[in-house]
Amino acid sequence: MDIKNLQRENIKNLRPYSTARDEYKGQASVYLDANENSFGSPLPENFNRYPDPLQLDLKDALSKIKGVPIENTFLGNGSDEAIDLLFRAFCNPGKDNVIILPPTYGMYEVSANINDVEVRKVNLLPNFQLDLEGIAEAIDENTKLIFICSPNNPTGNSIVRTDIETVLANFKGLVVIDEAYINFAKQRTFIQELTEYPHLVILQTFSKAWGLAGLRLGMAFASSIVIDIMNKVKAPYNISQSTQDLALAALQNVTQVNEWIKVTVAERELLSTKLLTLDMVKKVYPSDANFILIEVEDALGTYNALVDQGIIIRDRSKVTLCEGCLRITVGTPAENEILLSALKSLKN
């Protein structure tokens, strides 16, 4: 498989914008090359200089945690930037198509629509696992991407590993595994399989376990060829200096993050057990994420009643295969107790 042949013809011939930081990478005492404000910033810290366009220091620190070399790592403005870039680099508008597996993360379809790329939907099976036959039937010569969210949003379950491997073994386009919630799962990441599958792309994020949703920082791991193509298409300075600095500082606190993950998983199991005792709850789906999908008697009514009490969850009752369902993020122990008390009060 030649990954270079998967990209759009105009991207093959694209000459990316060359930044001042691309042309000079060393250290100097006087910088007069980028038309920056030489006097500084009206802030306690100076942000007058453009950031590293390839975020090499942050990627180096990240590689020590993830075990992925810098050349196999892309950083974006959330995972959403990586998703959009995959469409822009590999999908010809009005010609190519991608496969998504509802119910799943909504940005895959939104990005496809923005980029004028056909979306082929192959619903998950009733147990929220892959319909391998359906996927095989949906693939044609213009299918460029298949998105697999595992653990899946909004259902919370991990996708059977051997089924994902079947897709990887048989599909000749890019297989994108979105692992936004992998830190909360028993299933291990597919990062170790990057060397085996040159067409594998793994998405992860700082927004969930790392508690940095406000920074908007996402990760993509793939073969160096895929990463080079994404870097060629991305905006020159897509990650701000402040975001790079704060993320670097956060990476020094792995112990704290791991403790939060441990507490979240324990609270997830406790909350699931307690939700099952409520008469209004018809089903609690098993979860490998930091949220729980539940089926209730009156999803919209329950959602609105909680809103009235200042508690916000997600009504997923109109999503394919999630009829009558609500999605609840696992909160702190105190927040979870407030939620349970509010749900109990709705019986009266």
Short mmCIF file of all heavy atoms in Angstrom, two decimals, residues 62 65-66 68 74-76 78-80 82 150 176-183 188-192 194 201-208 210 217-221:
data_model
loop_
_atom_site.label_atom_id
_atom_site.label_comp_id
_atom_site.label_asym_id
_atom_site.label_seq_id
_atom_site.Cartn_x
_atom_site.Cartn_y
_atom_site.Cartn_z
N LEU A 62 5.80 14.35 25.00
CA LEU A 62 4.70 13.42 24.80
C LEU A 62 5.20 12.05 24.39
O LEU A 62 4.65 11.02 24.79
CB LEU A 62 3.75 13.98 23.74
CG LEU A 62 2.39 13.33 23.55
CD1 LEU A 62 1.58 13.40 24.85
CD2 LEU A 62 1.63 14.00 22.42
N ILE A 65 5.88 9.66 27.13
CA ILE A 65 4.71 9.09 27.79
C ILE A 65 3.99 8.09 26.90
O ILE A 65 3.61 7.00 27.34
CB ILE A 65 3.74 10.22 28.20
CG1 ILE A 65 4.39 11.11 29.26
CG2 ILE A 65 2.41 9.66 28.72
CD1 ILE A 65 3.59 12.35 29.61
N LYS A 66 3.84 8.44 25.63
CA LYS A 66 3.08 7.61 24.69
C LYS A 66 3.93 6.54 24.00
O LYS A 66 3.39 5.58 23.45
CB LYS A 66 2.42 8.48 23.62
CG LYS A 66 1.41 9.48 24.17
CD LYS A 66 0.16 8.78 24.66
CE LYS A 66 -0.89 9.78 25.10
NZ LYS A 66 -2.13 9.12 25.57
N VAL A 68 5.62 7.09 21.29
CA VAL A 68 5.49 7.31 19.86
C VAL A 68 6.52 8.36 19.43
O VAL A 68 6.57 9.44 20.01
CB VAL A 68 4.07 7.80 19.49
CG1 VAL A 68 3.95 8.00 17.98
CG2 VAL A 68 3.02 6.81 19.98
N PHE A 74 1.10 14.09 15.41
CA PHE A 74 0.54 15.36 14.97
C PHE A 74 -0.24 15.96 16.13
O PHE A 74 -0.95 15.25 16.84
CB PHE A 74 -0.40 15.16 13.77
CG PHE A 74 -1.14 16.40 13.36
CD1 PHE A 74 -0.57 17.30 12.48
CD2 PHE A 74 -2.41 16.67 13.87
CE1 PHE A 74 -1.24 18.47 12.10
CE2 PHE A 74 -3.10 17.83 13.50
CZ PHE A 74 -2.51 18.72 12.61
N LEU A 75 -0.11 17.26 16.32
CA LEU A 75 -0.89 17.97 17.33
C LEU A 75 -1.79 18.98 16.63
O LEU A 75 -1.35 19.71 15.74
CB LEU A 75 0.02 18.68 18.32
CG LEU A 75 0.90 17.77 19.19
CD1 LEU A 75 1.79 18.61 20.10
CD2 LEU A 75 0.06 16.81 20.01
N GLY A 76 -3.06 18.99 17.05
CA GLY A 76 -4.03 19.88 16.41
C GLY A 76 -4.87 20.63 17.40
O GLY A 76 -4.84 20.36 18.61
N GLY A 78 -7.58 20.59 19.01
CA GLY A 78 -8.53 19.52 19.30
C GLY A 78 -8.37 18.41 18.27
O GLY A 78 -7.74 18.59 17.22
N SER A 79 -8.97 17.26 18.54
CA SER A 79 -8.97 16.18 17.55
C SER A 79 -9.75 16.59 16.31
O SER A 79 -9.54 16.02 15.23
CB SER A 79 -9.59 14.91 18.16
OG SER A 79 -8.83 14.45 19.26
N ASP A 80 -10.65 17.56 16.47
CA ASP A 80 -11.46 18.00 15.34
C ASP A 80 -10.60 18.54 14.20
O ASP A 80 -10.94 18.37 13.02
CB ASP A 80 -12.46 19.07 15.78
CG ASP A 80 -13.49 18.53 16.76
OD1 ASP A 80 -13.70 17.31 16.78
OD2 ASP A 80 -14.08 19.34 17.50
N ALA A 82 -7.58 17.46 13.39
CA ALA A 82 -7.02 16.29 12.72
C ALA A 82 -8.06 15.63 11.82
O ALA A 82 -7.77 15.21 10.70
CB ALA A 82 -6.50 15.29 13.75
N SER A 150 -13.57 4.10 19.55
CA SER A 150 -13.47 3.04 20.54
C SER A 150 -12.56 3.47 21.69
O SER A 150 -11.36 3.69 21.48
CB SER A 150 -12.92 1.76 19.90
OG SER A 150 -12.85 0.71 20.84
N VAL A 176 -9.30 5.16 10.78
CA VAL A 176 -9.10 6.15 11.84
C VAL A 176 -9.78 5.63 13.10
O VAL A 176 -11.00 5.48 13.16
CB VAL A 176 -9.70 7.51 11.44
CG1 VAL A 176 -9.37 8.55 12.51
CG2 VAL A 176 -9.19 7.94 10.07
N ILE A 177 -8.97 5.33 14.12
CA ILE A 177 -9.50 4.87 15.40
C ILE A 177 -9.45 6.03 16.39
O ILE A 177 -8.38 6.52 16.74
CB ILE A 177 -8.70 3.68 15.95
CG1 ILE A 177 -8.67 2.54 14.93
CG2 ILE A 177 -9.31 3.19 17.27
CD1 ILE A 177 -7.84 1.34 15.37
N ASP A 178 -10.62 6.47 16.80
CA ASP A 178 -10.73 7.59 17.73
C ASP A 178 -10.72 7.05 19.15
O ASP A 178 -11.68 6.42 19.61
CB ASP A 178 -12.03 8.36 17.45
CG ASP A 178 -12.09 9.68 18.21
OD1 ASP A 178 -11.36 9.84 19.21
OD2 ASP A 178 -12.88 10.55 17.80
N GLU A 179 -9.62 7.30 19.86
CA GLU A 179 -9.43 6.79 21.22
C GLU A 179 -9.52 7.90 22.26
O GLU A 179 -8.77 7.92 23.24
CB GLU A 179 -8.07 6.08 21.33
CG GLU A 179 -7.96 4.82 20.48
CD GLU A 179 -6.66 4.07 20.71
OE1 GLU A 179 -5.68 4.67 21.25
OE2 GLU A 179 -6.60 2.88 20.37
N ALA A 180 -10.46 8.79 22.08
CA ALA A 180 -10.60 9.92 23.01
C ALA A 180 -10.77 9.45 24.46
O ALA A 180 -10.36 10.15 25.39
CB ALA A 180 -11.78 10.80 22.59
N TYR A 181 -11.39 8.29 24.64
CA TYR A 181 -11.72 7.81 25.99
C TYR A 181 -10.87 6.61 26.41
O TYR A 181 -11.21 5.91 27.37
CB TYR A 181 -13.21 7.46 26.06
CG TYR A 181 -14.10 8.63 25.73
CD1 TYR A 181 -14.60 8.81 24.44
CD2 TYR A 181 -14.42 9.59 26.69
CE1 TYR A 181 -15.39 9.91 24.12
CE2 TYR A 181 -15.21 10.68 26.38
CZ TYR A 181 -15.70 10.84 25.10
OH TYR A 181 -16.47 11.93 24.79
N ILE A 182 -9.77 6.36 25.71
CA ILE A 182 -8.99 5.14 25.94
C ILE A 182 -8.42 5.07 27.35
O ILE A 182 -8.22 3.98 27.89
CB ILE A 182 -7.85 5.03 24.89
CG1 ILE A 182 -7.26 3.62 24.87
CG2 ILE A 182 -6.78 6.08 25.14
CD1 ILE A 182 -8.21 2.55 24.39
N ASN A 183 -8.17 6.22 27.99
CA ASN A 183 -7.59 6.21 29.34
C ASN A 183 -8.50 5.56 30.37
O ASN A 183 -8.04 5.12 31.43
CB ASN A 183 -7.28 7.63 29.79
CG ASN A 183 -6.25 8.31 28.92
OD1 ASN A 183 -6.61 8.92 27.93
ND2 ASN A 183 -4.99 8.20 29.25
N ARG A 188 -6.51 -2.02 25.56
CA ARG A 188 -5.30 -1.23 25.33
C ARG A 188 -5.39 -0.46 24.02
O ARG A 188 -6.13 -0.82 23.11
CB ARG A 188 -4.05 -2.12 25.34
CG ARG A 188 -4.00 -3.19 24.26
CD ARG A 188 -2.78 -4.09 24.44
NE ARG A 188 -2.80 -5.21 23.51
CZ ARG A 188 -2.32 -5.16 22.28
NH1 ARG A 188 -1.77 -4.05 21.83
NH2 ARG A 188 -2.36 -6.23 21.49
N THR A 189 -4.61 0.59 23.94
CA THR A 189 -4.57 1.42 22.75
C THR A 189 -4.03 0.64 21.55
O THR A 189 -3.31 -0.36 21.70
CB THR A 189 -3.69 2.66 22.99
OG1 THR A 189 -3.55 3.39 21.77
CG2 THR A 189 -2.31 2.27 23.48
N PHE A 190 -4.35 1.12 20.35
CA PHE A 190 -3.82 0.55 19.12
C PHE A 190 -2.48 1.17 18.74
O PHE A 190 -1.95 0.89 17.66
CB PHE A 190 -4.82 0.72 17.98
CG PHE A 190 -5.71 -0.48 17.77
CD1 PHE A 190 -6.87 -0.63 18.51
CD2 PHE A 190 -5.38 -1.46 16.85
CE1 PHE A 190 -7.69 -1.72 18.33
CE2 PHE A 190 -6.19 -2.57 16.66
CZ PHE A 190 -7.36 -2.71 17.39
N ILE A 191 -1.91 2.01 19.60
CA ILE A 191 -0.64 2.66 19.28
C ILE A 191 0.44 1.65 18.92
O ILE A 191 1.25 1.88 18.02
CB ILE A 191 -0.20 3.57 20.45
CG1 ILE A 191 -0.97 4.90 20.39
CG2 ILE A 191 1.30 3.82 20.43
CD1 ILE A 191 -0.66 5.85 21.54
N GLN A 192 0.46 0.51 19.62
CA GLN A 192 1.50 -0.49 19.36
C GLN A 192 1.40 -1.07 17.95
O GLN A 192 2.36 -1.64 17.44
CB GLN A 192 1.42 -1.64 20.38
CG GLN A 192 1.91 -1.28 21.77
CD GLN A 192 0.90 -0.47 22.57
OE1 GLN A 192 -0.28 -0.39 22.20
NE2 GLN A 192 1.33 0.12 23.67
N LEU A 194 0.88 0.66 15.20
CA LEU A 194 1.21 1.64 14.17
C LEU A 194 2.28 1.13 13.20
O LEU A 194 2.22 1.41 12.00
CB LEU A 194 1.70 2.95 14.81
CG LEU A 194 0.62 3.86 15.40
CD1 LEU A 194 1.27 5.01 16.16
CD2 LEU A 194 -0.29 4.41 14.30
N VAL A 201 -4.58 5.40 11.59
CA VAL A 201 -4.48 6.71 12.24
C VAL A 201 -5.20 6.62 13.57
O VAL A 201 -6.34 6.15 13.64
CB VAL A 201 -5.12 7.83 11.39
CG1 VAL A 201 -4.99 9.17 12.11
CG2 VAL A 201 -4.49 7.89 10.01
N ILE A 202 -4.52 7.02 14.64
CA ILE A 202 -5.12 6.98 15.98
C ILE A 202 -5.30 8.41 16.49
O ILE A 202 -4.37 9.21 16.47
CB ILE A 202 -4.22 6.19 16.95
CG1 ILE A 202 -4.10 4.74 16.51
CG2 ILE A 202 -4.77 6.27 18.38
CD1 ILE A 202 -3.01 3.98 17.20
N LEU A 203 -6.51 8.71 16.93
CA LEU A 203 -6.80 10.01 17.51
C LEU A 203 -6.91 9.89 19.02
O LEU A 203 -7.56 8.98 19.53
CB LEU A 203 -8.12 10.57 16.96
CG LEU A 203 -8.24 10.73 15.45
CD1 LEU A 203 -9.63 11.26 15.10
CD2 LEU A 203 -7.16 11.64 14.90
N GLN A 204 -6.25 10.79 19.73
CA GLN A 204 -6.41 10.91 21.18
C GLN A 204 -6.54 12.39 21.52
O GLN A 204 -6.45 13.24 20.64
CB GLN A 204 -5.25 10.24 21.92
CG GLN A 204 -5.21 8.73 21.75
CD GLN A 204 -4.17 8.05 22.64
OE1 GLN A 204 -3.52 8.68 23.47
NE2 GLN A 204 -4.03 6.74 22.47
N THR A 205 -6.76 12.69 22.78
CA THR A 205 -7.06 14.08 23.15
C THR A 205 -6.58 14.41 24.55
O THR A 205 -6.42 13.52 25.39
CB THR A 205 -8.58 14.33 23.06
OG1 THR A 205 -8.84 15.70 23.35
CG2 THR A 205 -9.35 13.47 24.04
N PHE A 206 -6.35 15.69 24.78
CA PHE A 206 -6.06 16.21 26.12
C PHE A 206 -7.34 16.66 26.82
O PHE A 206 -7.28 17.15 27.95
CB PHE A 206 -5.08 17.38 26.04
CG PHE A 206 -3.65 16.99 25.82
CD1 PHE A 206 -3.13 16.86 24.54
CD2 PHE A 206 -2.80 16.74 26.89
CE1 PHE A 206 -1.81 16.50 24.33
CE2 PHE A 206 -1.47 16.38 26.70
CZ PHE A 206 -0.98 16.26 25.42
N SER A 207 -8.48 16.53 26.17
CA SER A 207 -9.72 17.11 26.68
C SER A 207 -10.43 16.25 27.72
O SER A 207 -11.29 16.77 28.44
CB SER A 207 -10.70 17.37 25.52
OG SER A 207 -10.19 18.33 24.65
N LYS A 208 -10.12 14.99 27.82
CA LYS A 208 -10.86 14.09 28.70
C LYS A 208 -10.04 13.80 29.97
O LYS A 208 -10.10 14.54 30.93
CB LYS A 208 -11.22 12.80 27.95
CG LYS A 208 -11.87 13.03 26.59
CD LYS A 208 -13.13 13.87 26.68
CE LYS A 208 -13.74 14.09 25.30
NZ LYS A 208 -14.90 14.98 25.32
N TRP A 210 -6.98 14.16 30.68
CA TRP A 210 -5.98 15.17 31.03
C TRP A 210 -6.60 16.45 31.57
O TRP A 210 -5.88 17.33 32.07
CB TRP A 210 -5.07 15.47 29.84
CG TRP A 210 -4.05 14.41 29.62
CD1 TRP A 210 -4.14 13.31 28.81
CD2 TRP A 210 -2.77 14.31 30.27
NE1 TRP A 210 -3.01 12.54 28.91
CE2 TRP A 210 -2.14 13.14 29.79
CE3 TRP A 210 -2.10 15.10 31.19
CZ2 TRP A 210 -0.89 12.74 30.22
CZ3 TRP A 210 -0.84 14.71 31.62
CH2 TRP A 210 -0.24 13.55 31.14
N LEU A 217 -6.57 20.85 22.50
CA LEU A 217 -5.36 20.19 22.02
C LEU A 217 -5.64 18.71 21.79
O LEU A 217 -6.02 17.98 22.71
CB LEU A 217 -4.23 20.36 23.04
CG LEU A 217 -2.84 19.85 22.62
CD1 LEU A 217 -2.36 20.58 21.38
CD2 LEU A 217 -1.84 20.02 23.76
N GLY A 218 -5.48 18.29 20.55
CA GLY A 218 -5.70 16.90 20.19
C GLY A 218 -4.46 16.28 19.60
O GLY A 218 -3.55 16.99 19.13
N MET A 219 -4.43 14.96 19.58
CA MET A 219 -3.28 14.22 19.07
C MET A 219 -3.71 13.27 17.97
O MET A 219 -4.80 12.69 18.03
CB MET A 219 -2.64 13.39 20.19
CG MET A 219 -2.11 14.17 21.36
SD MET A 219 -1.80 13.11 22.82
CE MET A 219 -3.42 13.17 23.62
N ALA A 220 -2.85 13.11 16.97
CA ALA A 220 -3.01 12.06 15.99
C ALA A 220 -1.69 11.33 15.86
O ALA A 220 -0.62 11.97 15.81
CB ALA A 220 -3.44 12.62 14.64
N PHE A 221 -1.76 10.01 15.85
CA PHE A 221 -0.56 9.19 15.69
C PHE A 221 -0.73 8.34 14.43
O PHE A 221 -1.78 7.72 14.22
CB PHE A 221 -0.35 8.28 16.90
CG PHE A 221 -0.30 9.03 18.21
CD1 PHE A 221 -1.35 8.98 19.11
CD2 PHE A 221 0.81 9.80 18.54
CE1 PHE A 221 -1.32 9.68 20.31
CE2 PHE A 221 0.86 10.51 19.74
CZ PHE A 221 -0.21 10.44 20.63
#
